[in-house]
Amino acid sequence: MKMTELDTPSLLIDREIMMDNIRRMQLYADQYDVHLRPHTKTHKMPALAKLQEDAGAKGITVAKVGEAEVMAENGLNDIFIANEIVGEVKLNRVKKLAETINISFGVDSIEQCEMIEDVFSDSHKPAQVLIEIEVGENRSGVIEESDYIRLVDYIKNCSHVKLKGIFSHDGHTYKAKDLEDCRRLYNEAQKRTLRFAQLAEEQGCKLETVSIGSTPPLLHDFGVMEGITELRVGTYILMDVSQGNAIGSYSTCAASVLTTVISKPTNERVITDVGAKGLTMQTRSEGICATTGIGYIKNSDQVHIDQLFDEHAIIYNEEFRNQIAIGEKLEIIPNHICPVCNLYDYAYLVSEGEVVEEISILGRGKLQ
């Protein structure tokens, strides 16, 4: 069917744009002779993860154990959980996955590793862990070198925990004031990550993996420093308004939400049938990824969603209101695609306006 025949709201993915995005990032990783391990929390679809691996990705990244389980059930067998996994229930689930696939996950404290050592004490395979390094985002990860050295030394003496590597996330680059600031933050994050890799080596631990990643710097050719072994990047496959703003174009935005105009109650107000439950209310307030409104009307002259209710999107634009009719369908490019994918059961792969495949979002709601 034609995509305009779909009921709304519907999540659309332009096949050609998506495949171009997949190939472009893989070529970037290949150029610098590093592995690409895409973060699939962006799309939560095993079918898309397989396309990324088919293009050359070494494995995939997920954010939650539930996402790892879904991906493993659907044939993905090299998975890194880029998060601290804490608690007996979750660690036992990881231990079960480790029986059949290559799986690793993040740590940043001795207390966490004590739990892992205990849970994996009866496993024939040690838990594979990567230490997270805090590089400026002010989130999780080791900050002080002294704490890091103590953690490395503790893991060295564990019988059931193996230190595979380290990882960092330079998410603060989203707030870079311009591209030069983005380059600076990215390079500082790389240098800090490599410093911690050196510290591990000084403690007698040669790391297999030194992993970095966030989308904004990797949309530009800022390079990859020697010693980095892996790029862990997610949003690039579908892109969104914030990432489009980082490169000054929405031409690589593969995902959009199809919505129907249901009301034009005033001379300037337009109402469509997707609200916060299908678009989220996320915005970005500063830097190269700063957004206007709560979503961009695709192929419009800077028309944005001004307001969202649970089931309604509101646009205030008299000129736009006079150009469209009730019943007409619009495409909205979301500000942040990752949480949007988590709101739908299916995505529709489209090519030149035709629906070519319905893809189940099997990782939807896998938050545990």
Side-chain angles (χ1 to χ4, degrees), residues 10-13 235 238-245 250 253-258 274-275 278-284 289 291-298 304-305 308 331-341 343-344:
S10 288
L11 178 62
L12 309 180
I13 299 173
T235 315
L238 299 180
M239 298 288 282
D240 52 29
V241 169
S242 68
Q243 303 293 353
N245 289 342
Y250 301 140
C253 291
S256 62
V257 172
L258 188 70
V274 64
L279 201 58
T280 84
M281 296 183 71
Q282 286 209 342
T283 61
R284 296 193 187 276
C289 293
T291 56
T292 299
I294 319 175
Y296 167 71
I297 306 301
K298 188 173 180 177
H304 297 83
I305 303 298
L308 285 178
E331 289 181 68
I332 302 170
I333 301 176
N335 283 347
H336 187 188
I337 189 58
C338 303
V340 172
C341 286
L343 300 174
Y344 291 84

mmCIF file of all heavy atoms in Angstrom, residues 10-13 235 238-245 250 253-258 274-275 278-284 289 291-298 304-305 308 331-341 343-344:
data_model
loop_
_atom_site.group_PDB
_atom_site.id
_atom_site.type_symbol
_atom_site.label_atom_id
_atom_site.label_comp_id
_atom_site.label_asym_id
_atom_site.label_seq_id
_atom_site.Cartn_x
_atom_site.Cartn_y
_atom_site.Cartn_z
ATOM 1 N N SER A 10 1.472 6.531 12.791
ATOM 2 C CA SER A 10 2.321 5.411 12.415
ATOM 3 C C SER A 10 3.774 5.874 12.353
ATOM 4 O O SER A 10 4.054 6.996 11.927
ATOM 5 C CB SER A 10 1.925 4.857 11.041
ATOM 6 O OG SER A 10 0.703 4.167 11.095
ATOM 7 N N LEU A 11 4.671 4.978 12.735
ATOM 8 C CA LEU A 11 6.104 5.254 12.661
ATOM 9 C C LEU A 11 6.631 4.769 11.315
ATOM 10 O O LEU A 11 6.489 3.587 10.971
ATOM 11 C CB LEU A 11 6.841 4.555 13.799
ATOM 12 C CG LEU A 11 8.357 4.718 13.839
ATOM 13 C CD1 LEU A 11 8.755 6.188 14.011
ATOM 14 C CD2 LEU A 11 8.962 3.868 14.961
ATOM 15 N N LEU A 12 7.218 5.682 10.550
ATOM 16 C CA LEU A 12 7.749 5.373 9.227
ATOM 17 C C LEU A 12 9.276 5.407 9.235
ATOM 18 O O LEU A 12 9.881 6.200 9.959
ATOM 19 C CB LEU A 12 7.256 6.393 8.194
ATOM 20 C CG LEU A 12 5.763 6.683 8.114
ATOM 21 C CD1 LEU A 12 5.497 7.729 7.035
ATOM 22 C CD2 LEU A 12 4.974 5.417 7.841
ATOM 23 N N ILE A 13 9.879 4.565 8.401
ATOM 24 C CA ILE A 13 11.325 4.600 8.189
ATOM 25 C C ILE A 13 11.581 4.545 6.692
ATOM 26 O O ILE A 13 11.149 3.600 6.009
ATOM 27 C CB ILE A 13 12.046 3.421 8.865
ATOM 28 C CG1 ILE A 13 11.828 3.462 10.384
ATOM 29 C CG2 ILE A 13 13.542 3.452 8.550
ATOM 30 C CD1 ILE A 13 12.374 2.225 11.100
ATOM 31 N N THR A 235 22.099 6.820 17.243
ATOM 32 C CA THR A 235 21.038 7.567 16.561
ATOM 33 C C THR A 235 21.292 7.720 15.073
ATOM 34 O O THR A 235 20.356 7.968 14.296
ATOM 35 C CB THR A 235 20.882 8.959 17.212
ATOM 36 O OG1 THR A 235 20.892 8.815 18.633
ATOM 37 C CG2 THR A 235 19.585 9.623 16.810
ATOM 38 N N LEU A 238 18.793 6.348 12.180
ATOM 39 C CA LEU A 238 17.498 6.958 11.871
ATOM 40 C C LEU A 238 17.549 8.479 11.888
ATOM 41 O O LEU A 238 16.773 9.128 11.204
ATOM 42 C CB LEU A 238 16.430 6.470 12.868
ATOM 43 C CG LEU A 238 16.168 4.960 12.872
ATOM 44 C CD1 LEU A 238 15.094 4.618 13.907
ATOM 45 C CD2 LEU A 238 15.753 4.469 11.490
ATOM 46 N N MET A 239 18.422 9.038 12.709
ATOM 47 C CA MET A 239 18.548 10.483 12.872
ATOM 48 C C MET A 239 17.238 11.102 13.396
ATOM 49 O O MET A 239 16.237 10.427 13.571
ATOM 50 C CB MET A 239 18.991 11.144 11.567
ATOM 51 C CG MET A 239 20.366 10.687 11.087
ATOM 52 S SD MET A 239 21.712 11.347 12.092
ATOM 53 C CE MET A 239 21.821 13.021 11.465
ATOM 54 N N ASP A 240 17.286 12.383 13.683
ATOM 55 C CA ASP A 240 16.125 13.101 14.212
ATOM 56 C C ASP A 240 16.405 14.592 14.093
ATOM 57 O O ASP A 240 17.428 15.002 13.519
ATOM 58 C CB ASP A 240 15.815 12.679 15.656
ATOM 59 C CG ASP A 240 17.012 12.752 16.603
ATOM 60 O OD1 ASP A 240 17.914 13.594 16.366
ATOM 61 O OD2 ASP A 240 17.053 11.990 17.578
ATOM 62 N N VAL A 241 15.510 15.400 14.622
ATOM 63 C CA VAL A 241 15.675 16.850 14.478
ATOM 64 C C VAL A 241 16.961 17.331 15.144
ATOM 65 O O VAL A 241 17.708 18.133 14.569
ATOM 66 C CB VAL A 241 14.454 17.598 15.060
ATOM 67 C CG1 VAL A 241 14.748 19.095 15.168
ATOM 68 C CG2 VAL A 241 13.229 17.388 14.173
ATOM 69 N N SER A 242 17.240 16.851 16.344
ATOM 70 C CA SER A 242 18.428 17.348 17.050
ATOM 71 C C SER A 242 19.701 16.992 16.300
ATOM 72 O O SER A 242 20.612 17.819 16.173
ATOM 73 C CB SER A 242 18.472 16.814 18.485
ATOM 74 O OG SER A 242 18.690 15.425 18.517
ATOM 75 N N GLN A 243 19.786 15.770 15.770
ATOM 76 C CA GLN A 243 20.972 15.383 15.001
ATOM 77 C C GLN A 243 21.018 16.117 13.668
ATOM 78 O O GLN A 243 22.092 16.481 13.183
ATOM 79 C CB GLN A 243 20.976 13.871 14.769
ATOM 80 C CG GLN A 243 20.926 13.032 16.038
ATOM 81 C CD GLN A 243 22.172 13.152 16.885
ATOM 82 O OE1 GLN A 243 23.160 13.763 16.479
ATOM 83 N NE2 GLN A 243 22.145 12.569 18.070
ATOM 84 N N GLY A 244 19.853 16.334 13.066
ATOM 85 C CA GLY A 244 19.812 17.120 11.835
ATOM 86 C C GLY A 244 20.321 18.526 12.055
ATOM 87 O O GLY A 244 21.022 19.089 11.207
ATOM 88 N N ASN A 245 19.974 19.101 13.215
ATOM 89 C CA ASN A 245 20.474 20.438 13.528
ATOM 90 C C ASN A 245 21.991 20.442 13.676
ATOM 91 O O ASN A 245 22.650 21.440 13.354
ATOM 92 C CB ASN A 245 19.814 20.952 14.812
ATOM 93 C CG ASN A 245 18.348 21.287 14.606
ATOM 94 O OD1 ASN A 245 17.896 21.462 13.476
ATOM 95 N ND2 ASN A 245 17.596 21.367 15.693
ATOM 96 N N TYR A 250 18.086 18.086 7.390
ATOM 97 C CA TYR A 250 17.240 16.961 7.782
ATOM 98 C C TYR A 250 17.208 15.891 6.691
ATOM 99 O O TYR A 250 16.385 14.974 6.747
ATOM 100 C CB TYR A 250 15.815 17.450 8.080
ATOM 101 C CG TYR A 250 15.742 18.487 9.182
ATOM 102 C CD1 TYR A 250 14.883 19.574 9.086
ATOM 103 C CD2 TYR A 250 16.532 18.378 10.325
ATOM 104 C CE1 TYR A 250 14.808 20.527 10.089
ATOM 105 C CE2 TYR A 250 16.481 19.325 11.335
ATOM 106 C CZ TYR A 250 15.615 20.398 11.217
ATOM 107 O OH TYR A 250 15.560 21.338 12.211
ATOM 108 N N CYS A 253 17.418 12.279 7.871
ATOM 109 C CA CYS A 253 16.421 11.819 8.843
ATOM 110 C C CYS A 253 15.547 10.751 8.181
ATOM 111 O O CYS A 253 14.723 11.055 7.319
ATOM 112 C CB CYS A 253 15.575 12.984 9.342
ATOM 113 S SG CYS A 253 16.491 14.150 10.378
ATOM 114 N N ALA A 254 15.738 9.503 8.588
ATOM 115 C CA ALA A 254 15.022 8.389 7.976
ATOM 116 C C ALA A 254 13.669 8.136 8.629
ATOM 117 O O ALA A 254 12.789 7.547 8.003
ATOM 118 C CB ALA A 254 15.873 7.123 8.067
ATOM 119 N N ALA A 255 13.506 8.541 9.870
ATOM 120 C CA ALA A 255 12.288 8.220 10.612
ATOM 121 C C ALA A 255 11.367 9.426 10.707
ATOM 122 O O ALA A 255 11.810 10.567 10.831
ATOM 123 C CB ALA A 255 12.636 7.737 12.012
ATOM 124 N N SER A 256 10.078 9.128 10.650
ATOM 125 C CA SER A 256 9.074 10.169 10.843
ATOM 126 C C SER A 256 7.805 9.524 11.382
ATOM 127 O O SER A 256 7.627 8.307 11.297
ATOM 128 C CB SER A 256 8.773 10.909 9.537
ATOM 129 O OG SER A 256 8.251 10.020 8.568
ATOM 130 N N VAL A 257 6.954 10.347 11.946
ATOM 131 C CA VAL A 257 5.657 9.874 12.430
ATOM 132 C C VAL A 257 4.574 10.428 11.515
ATOM 133 O O VAL A 257 4.466 11.642 11.329
ATOM 134 C CB VAL A 257 5.414 10.319 13.885
ATOM 135 C CG1 VAL A 257 3.984 9.987 14.318
ATOM 136 C CG2 VAL A 257 6.419 9.650 14.821
ATOM 137 N N LEU A 258 3.808 9.519 10.917
ATOM 138 C CA LEU A 258 2.698 9.911 10.055
ATOM 139 C C LEU A 258 1.497 10.252 10.931
ATOM 140 O O LEU A 258 1.120 9.474 11.813
ATOM 141 C CB LEU A 258 2.345 8.768 9.100
ATOM 142 C CG LEU A 258 1.324 9.077 8.003
ATOM 143 C CD1 LEU A 258 1.925 10.031 6.970
ATOM 144 C CD2 LEU A 258 0.864 7.784 7.330
ATOM 145 N N VAL A 274 -1.547 12.857 16.750
ATOM 146 C CA VAL A 274 -0.477 12.257 17.547
ATOM 147 C C VAL A 274 -0.121 13.209 18.671
ATOM 148 O O VAL A 274 0.017 14.419 18.459
ATOM 149 C CB VAL A 274 0.774 11.931 16.699
ATOM 150 C CG1 VAL A 274 1.417 13.180 16.128
ATOM 151 C CG2 VAL A 274 1.795 11.138 17.512
ATOM 152 N N GLY A 275 -0.004 12.673 19.884
ATOM 153 C CA GLY A 275 0.363 13.504 21.016
ATOM 154 C C GLY A 275 1.627 13.001 21.683
ATOM 155 O O GLY A 275 2.443 12.310 21.065
ATOM 156 N N GLY A 278 2.743 9.404 21.387
ATOM 157 C CA GLY A 278 3.297 8.889 20.134
ATOM 158 C C GLY A 278 4.479 9.681 19.621
ATOM 159 O O GLY A 278 5.048 9.352 18.585
ATOM 160 N N LEU A 279 4.836 10.749 20.350
ATOM 161 C CA LEU A 279 5.917 11.620 19.874
ATOM 162 C C LEU A 279 6.903 11.983 20.984
ATOM 163 O O LEU A 279 8.050 12.316 20.696
ATOM 164 C CB LEU A 279 5.302 12.898 19.287
ATOM 165 C CG LEU A 279 6.141 13.718 18.314
ATOM 166 C CD1 LEU A 279 6.558 12.897 17.101
ATOM 167 C CD2 LEU A 279 5.335 14.938 17.846
ATOM 168 N N THR A 280 6.475 11.882 22.220
ATOM 169 C CA THR A 280 7.186 12.360 23.420
ATOM 170 C C THR A 280 7.229 13.892 23.436
ATOM 171 O O THR A 280 7.011 14.537 22.405
ATOM 172 C CB THR A 280 8.619 11.811 23.585
ATOM 173 O OG1 THR A 280 9.536 12.584 22.827
ATOM 174 C CG2 THR A 280 8.708 10.352 23.241
ATOM 175 N N MET A 281 7.555 14.444 24.595
ATOM 176 C CA MET A 281 7.625 15.901 24.732
ATOM 177 C C MET A 281 9.075 16.370 24.845
ATOM 178 O O MET A 281 9.349 17.452 25.355
ATOM 179 C CB MET A 281 6.809 16.359 25.934
ATOM 180 C CG MET A 281 5.324 16.055 25.774
ATOM 181 S SD MET A 281 4.286 16.645 27.125
ATOM 182 C CE MET A 281 4.336 18.418 26.839
ATOM 183 N N GLN A 282 10.010 15.558 24.374
ATOM 184 C CA GLN A 282 11.417 15.889 24.535
ATOM 185 C C GLN A 282 11.841 17.061 23.656
ATOM 186 O O GLN A 282 11.416 17.191 22.500
ATOM 187 C CB GLN A 282 12.293 14.678 24.207
ATOM 188 C CG GLN A 282 12.255 13.623 25.290
ATOM 189 C CD GLN A 282 13.548 12.836 25.350
ATOM 190 O OE1 GLN A 282 14.342 12.829 24.418
ATOM 191 N NE2 GLN A 282 13.766 12.154 26.452
ATOM 192 N N THR A 283 12.685 17.893 24.236
ATOM 193 C CA THR A 283 13.316 18.989 23.514
ATOM 194 C C THR A 283 14.783 19.034 23.929
ATOM 195 O O THR A 283 15.178 18.421 24.922
ATOM 196 C CB THR A 283 12.666 20.347 23.842
ATOM 197 O OG1 THR A 283 12.805 20.604 25.252
ATOM 198 C CG2 THR A 283 11.184 20.349 23.474
ATOM 199 N N ARG A 284 15.580 19.757 23.167
ATOM 200 C CA ARG A 284 16.965 20.036 23.565
ATOM 201 C C ARG A 284 17.116 21.548 23.584
ATOM 202 O O ARG A 284 16.784 22.221 22.605
ATOM 203 C CB ARG A 284 17.962 19.387 22.612
ATOM 204 C CG ARG A 284 17.897 17.860 22.626
ATOM 205 C CD ARG A 284 19.088 17.236 21.932
ATOM 206 N NE ARG A 284 18.966 15.798 21.801
ATOM 207 C CZ ARG A 284 19.298 14.915 22.743
ATOM 208 N NH1 ARG A 284 19.773 15.352 23.898
ATOM 209 N NH2 ARG A 284 19.158 13.620 22.536
ATOM 210 N N CYS A 289 22.619 20.845 18.962
ATOM 211 C CA CYS A 289 21.451 19.971 18.790
ATOM 212 C C CYS A 289 20.163 20.601 19.315
ATOM 213 O O CYS A 289 19.137 19.923 19.411
ATOM 214 C CB CYS A 289 21.686 18.635 19.504
ATOM 215 S SG CYS A 289 22.995 17.631 18.764
ATOM 216 N N THR A 291 16.668 22.295 19.771
ATOM 217 C CA THR A 291 15.474 22.121 18.939
ATOM 218 C C THR A 291 14.505 23.286 19.119
ATOM 219 O O THR A 291 14.501 23.959 20.145
ATOM 220 C CB THR A 291 14.758 20.816 19.295
ATOM 221 O OG1 THR A 291 14.452 20.818 20.695
ATOM 222 C CG2 THR A 291 15.623 19.611 18.967
ATOM 223 N N THR A 292 13.675 23.482 18.112
ATOM 224 C CA THR A 292 12.571 24.430 18.164
ATOM 225 C C THR A 292 11.278 23.631 18.182
ATOM 226 O O THR A 292 11.065 22.764 17.331
ATOM 227 C CB THR A 292 12.573 25.357 16.937
ATOM 228 O OG1 THR A 292 13.798 26.090 16.915
ATOM 229 C CG2 THR A 292 11.405 26.331 16.994
ATOM 230 N N GLY A 293 10.406 23.892 19.136
ATOM 231 C CA GLY A 293 9.158 23.156 19.203
ATOM 232 C C GLY A 293 9.357 21.710 19.607
ATOM 233 O O GLY A 293 10.391 21.329 20.162
ATOM 234 N N ILE A 294 8.366 20.859 19.291
ATOM 235 C CA ILE A 294 8.368 19.473 19.766
ATOM 236 C C ILE A 294 8.289 18.511 18.579
ATOM 237 O O ILE A 294 7.713 17.433 18.668
ATOM 238 C CB ILE A 294 7.204 19.245 20.759
ATOM 239 C CG1 ILE A 294 7.062 20.441 21.715
ATOM 240 C CG2 ILE A 294 7.441 17.981 21.588
ATOM 241 C CD1 ILE A 294 5.865 20.362 22.637
ATOM 242 N N GLY A 295 8.868 18.878 17.470
ATOM 243 C CA GLY A 295 8.858 18.072 16.258
ATOM 244 C C GLY A 295 8.728 18.970 15.046
ATOM 245 O O GLY A 295 8.105 20.035 15.111
ATOM 246 N N TYR A 296 9.321 18.542 13.944
ATOM 247 C CA TYR A 296 9.370 19.353 12.716
ATOM 248 C C TYR A 296 8.487 18.715 11.647
ATOM 249 O O TYR A 296 8.551 17.502 11.412
ATOM 250 C CB TYR A 296 10.819 19.437 12.230
ATOM 251 C CG TYR A 296 10.991 19.961 10.828
ATOM 252 C CD1 TYR A 296 10.752 21.305 10.530
ATOM 253 C CD2 TYR A 296 11.386 19.112 9.801
ATOM 254 C CE1 TYR A 296 10.905 21.780 9.232
ATOM 255 C CE2 TYR A 296 11.550 19.578 8.502
ATOM 256 C CZ TYR A 296 11.309 20.915 8.234
ATOM 257 O OH TYR A 296 11.455 21.385 6.950
ATOM 258 N N ILE A 297 7.648 19.515 10.996
ATOM 259 C CA ILE A 297 6.822 19.015 9.903
ATOM 260 C C ILE A 297 7.711 18.837 8.674
ATOM 261 O O ILE A 297 8.243 19.801 8.128
ATOM 262 C CB ILE A 297 5.658 19.971 9.578
ATOM 263 C CG1 ILE A 297 4.837 20.265 10.837
ATOM 264 C CG2 ILE A 297 4.784 19.372 8.485
ATOM 265 C CD1 ILE A 297 4.245 19.054 11.501
ATOM 266 N N LYS A 298 7.870 17.592 8.247
ATOM 267 C CA LYS A 298 8.796 17.259 7.171
ATOM 268 C C LYS A 298 8.463 18.022 5.898
ATOM 269 O O LYS A 298 7.298 18.161 5.514
ATOM 270 C CB LYS A 298 8.748 15.749 6.913
ATOM 271 C CG LYS A 298 9.806 15.243 5.943
ATOM 272 C CD LYS A 298 9.780 13.729 5.886
ATOM 273 C CE LYS A 298 10.818 13.187 4.917
ATOM 274 N NZ LYS A 298 10.849 11.701 4.904
ATOM 275 N N HIS A 304 6.847 23.791 13.001
ATOM 276 C CA HIS A 304 7.108 22.876 14.105
ATOM 277 C C HIS A 304 5.847 22.652 14.929
ATOM 278 O O HIS A 304 4.933 23.480 14.916
ATOM 279 C CB HIS A 304 8.214 23.422 15.020
ATOM 280 C CG HIS A 304 9.540 23.578 14.353
ATOM 281 N ND1 HIS A 304 9.860 24.683 13.593
ATOM 282 C CD2 HIS A 304 10.627 22.769 14.322
ATOM 283 C CE1 HIS A 304 11.096 24.544 13.127
ATOM 284 N NE2 HIS A 304 11.574 23.389 13.558
ATOM 285 N N ILE A 305 5.838 21.543 15.658
ATOM 286 C CA ILE A 305 4.788 21.315 16.643
ATOM 287 C C ILE A 305 5.038 22.271 17.813
ATOM 288 O O ILE A 305 6.132 22.302 18.377
ATOM 289 C CB ILE A 305 4.802 19.861 17.146
ATOM 290 C CG1 ILE A 305 4.657 18.884 15.984
ATOM 291 C CG2 ILE A 305 3.716 19.644 18.193
ATOM 292 C CD1 ILE A 305 3.375 19.005 15.220
ATOM 293 N N LEU A 308 1.996 19.801 22.811
ATOM 294 C CA LEU A 308 1.476 18.436 22.792
ATOM 295 C C LEU A 308 0.586 18.194 23.993
ATOM 296 O O LEU A 308 0.907 18.593 25.115
ATOM 297 C CB LEU A 308 2.623 17.411 22.820
ATOM 298 C CG LEU A 308 3.445 17.190 21.547
ATOM 299 C CD1 LEU A 308 4.535 16.168 21.826
ATOM 300 C CD2 LEU A 308 2.583 16.736 20.390
ATOM 301 N N GLU A 331 3.938 14.279 7.882
ATOM 302 C CA GLU A 331 5.029 13.549 8.535
ATOM 303 C C GLU A 331 5.733 14.485 9.507
ATOM 304 O O GLU A 331 6.092 15.616 9.142
ATOM 305 C CB GLU A 331 6.040 13.038 7.520
ATOM 306 C CG GLU A 331 5.542 11.899 6.654
ATOM 307 C CD GLU A 331 6.620 11.428 5.697
ATOM 308 O OE1 GLU A 331 7.628 10.847 6.154
ATOM 309 O OE2 GLU A 331 6.462 11.672 4.485
ATOM 310 N N ILE A 332 5.932 13.995 10.726
ATOM 311 C CA ILE A 332 6.652 14.754 11.747
ATOM 312 C C ILE A 332 7.984 14.067 12.007
ATOM 313 O O ILE A 332 8.035 12.866 12.293
ATOM 314 C CB ILE A 332 5.862 14.828 13.063
ATOM 315 C CG1 ILE A 332 4.491 15.476 12.842
ATOM 316 C CG2 ILE A 332 6.650 15.596 14.123
ATOM 317 C CD1 ILE A 332 3.572 15.373 14.045
ATOM 318 N N ILE A 333 9.088 14.808 11.893
ATOM 319 C CA ILE A 333 10.389 14.289 12.301
ATOM 320 C C ILE A 333 10.534 14.580 13.796
ATOM 321 O O ILE A 333 10.487 15.735 14.211
ATOM 322 C CB ILE A 333 11.537 14.941 11.513
ATOM 323 C CG1 ILE A 333 11.355 14.690 10.010
ATOM 324 C CG2 ILE A 333 12.884 14.385 11.980
ATOM 325 C CD1 ILE A 333 12.398 15.375 9.146
ATOM 326 N N PRO A 334 10.682 13.557 14.626
ATOM 327 C CA PRO A 334 10.765 13.779 16.075
ATOM 328 C C PRO A 334 12.057 14.492 16.478
ATOM 329 O O PRO A 334 13.088 14.382 15.802
ATOM 330 C CB PRO A 334 10.737 12.365 16.663
ATOM 331 C CG PRO A 334 10.184 11.506 15.578
ATOM 332 C CD PRO A 334 10.659 12.126 14.290
ATOM 333 N N ASN A 335 11.988 15.182 17.604
ATOM 334 C CA ASN A 335 13.200 15.793 18.164
ATOM 335 C C ASN A 335 14.214 14.740 18.572
ATOM 336 O O ASN A 335 15.417 14.919 18.389
ATOM 337 C CB ASN A 335 12.847 16.644 19.381
ATOM 338 C CG ASN A 335 12.242 17.981 19.009
ATOM 339 O OD1 ASN A 335 12.287 18.388 17.848
ATOM 340 N ND2 ASN A 335 11.673 18.666 19.974
ATOM 341 N N HIS A 336 13.734 13.651 19.160
ATOM 342 C CA HIS A 336 14.616 12.583 19.651
ATOM 343 C C HIS A 336 13.967 11.247 19.314
ATOM 344 O O HIS A 336 12.953 10.880 19.907
ATOM 345 C CB HIS A 336 14.820 12.733 21.166
ATOM 346 C CG HIS A 336 15.834 11.783 21.731
ATOM 347 N ND1 HIS A 336 16.043 11.648 23.085
ATOM 348 C CD2 HIS A 336 16.697 10.917 21.131
ATOM 349 C CE1 HIS A 336 16.987 10.745 23.297
ATOM 350 N NE2 HIS A 336 17.391 10.289 22.123
ATOM 351 N N ILE A 337 14.549 10.521 18.389
ATOM 352 C CA ILE A 337 13.910 9.330 17.850
ATOM 353 C C ILE A 337 13.939 8.155 18.816
ATOM 354 O O ILE A 337 13.032 7.301 18.789
ATOM 355 C CB ILE A 337 14.548 8.923 16.491
ATOM 356 C CG1 ILE A 337 13.723 7.811 15.817
ATOM 357 C CG2 ILE A 337 16.004 8.527 16.660
ATOM 358 C CD1 ILE A 337 12.285 8.153 15.555
ATOM 359 N N CYS A 338 14.942 8.060 19.690
ATOM 360 C CA CYS A 338 15.086 6.862 20.543
ATOM 361 C C CYS A 338 13.849 6.583 21.397
ATOM 362 O O CYS A 338 13.326 5.465 21.369
ATOM 363 C CB CYS A 338 16.338 6.969 21.403
ATOM 364 S SG CYS A 338 17.865 7.193 20.459
ATOM 365 N N PRO A 339 13.342 7.551 22.176
ATOM 366 C CA PRO A 339 12.130 7.245 22.961
ATOM 367 C C PRO A 339 10.892 7.080 22.097
ATOM 368 O O PRO A 339 9.948 6.399 22.497
ATOM 369 C CB PRO A 339 12.008 8.446 23.907
ATOM 370 C CG PRO A 339 12.725 9.557 23.228
ATOM 371 C CD PRO A 339 13.851 8.898 22.481
ATOM 372 N N VAL A 340 10.874 7.679 20.903
ATOM 373 C CA VAL A 340 9.713 7.546 20.027
ATOM 374 C C VAL A 340 9.562 6.097 19.559
ATOM 375 O O VAL A 340 8.459 5.540 19.550
ATOM 376 C CB VAL A 340 9.804 8.513 18.831
ATOM 377 C CG1 VAL A 340 8.692 8.242 17.822
ATOM 378 C CG2 VAL A 340 9.722 9.954 19.322
ATOM 379 N N CYS A 341 10.660 5.462 19.168
ATOM 380 C CA CYS A 341 10.576 4.063 18.734
ATOM 381 C C CYS A 341 9.996 3.175 19.832
ATOM 382 O O CYS A 341 9.303 2.193 19.540
ATOM 383 C CB CYS A 341 11.964 3.556 18.334
ATOM 384 S SG CYS A 341 12.558 4.201 16.747
ATOM 385 N N LEU A 343 7.600 3.705 21.643
ATOM 386 C CA LEU A 343 6.166 3.945 21.807
ATOM 387 C C LEU A 343 5.306 3.161 20.813
ATOM 388 O O LEU A 343 4.081 3.174 20.927
ATOM 389 C CB LEU A 343 5.869 5.441 21.656
ATOM 390 C CG LEU A 343 6.564 6.363 22.659
ATOM 391 C CD1 LEU A 343 6.297 7.823 22.305
ATOM 392 C CD2 LEU A 343 6.112 6.073 24.079
ATOM 393 N N TYR A 344 5.936 2.496 19.850
ATOM 394 C CA TYR A 344 5.186 1.845 18.778
ATOM 395 C C TYR A 344 5.438 0.336 18.763
ATOM 396 O O TYR A 344 6.528 -0.130 19.097
ATOM 397 C CB TYR A 344 5.572 2.441 17.418
ATOM 398 C CG TYR A 344 5.089 3.868 17.258
ATOM 399 C CD1 TYR A 344 5.836 4.931 17.756
ATOM 400 C CD2 TYR A 344 3.870 4.142 16.643
ATOM 401 C CE1 TYR A 344 5.385 6.241 17.643
ATOM 402 C CE2 TYR A 344 3.413 5.443 16.523
ATOM 403 C CZ TYR A 344 4.176 6.491 17.027
ATOM 404 O OH TYR A 344 3.716 7.779 16.915
#
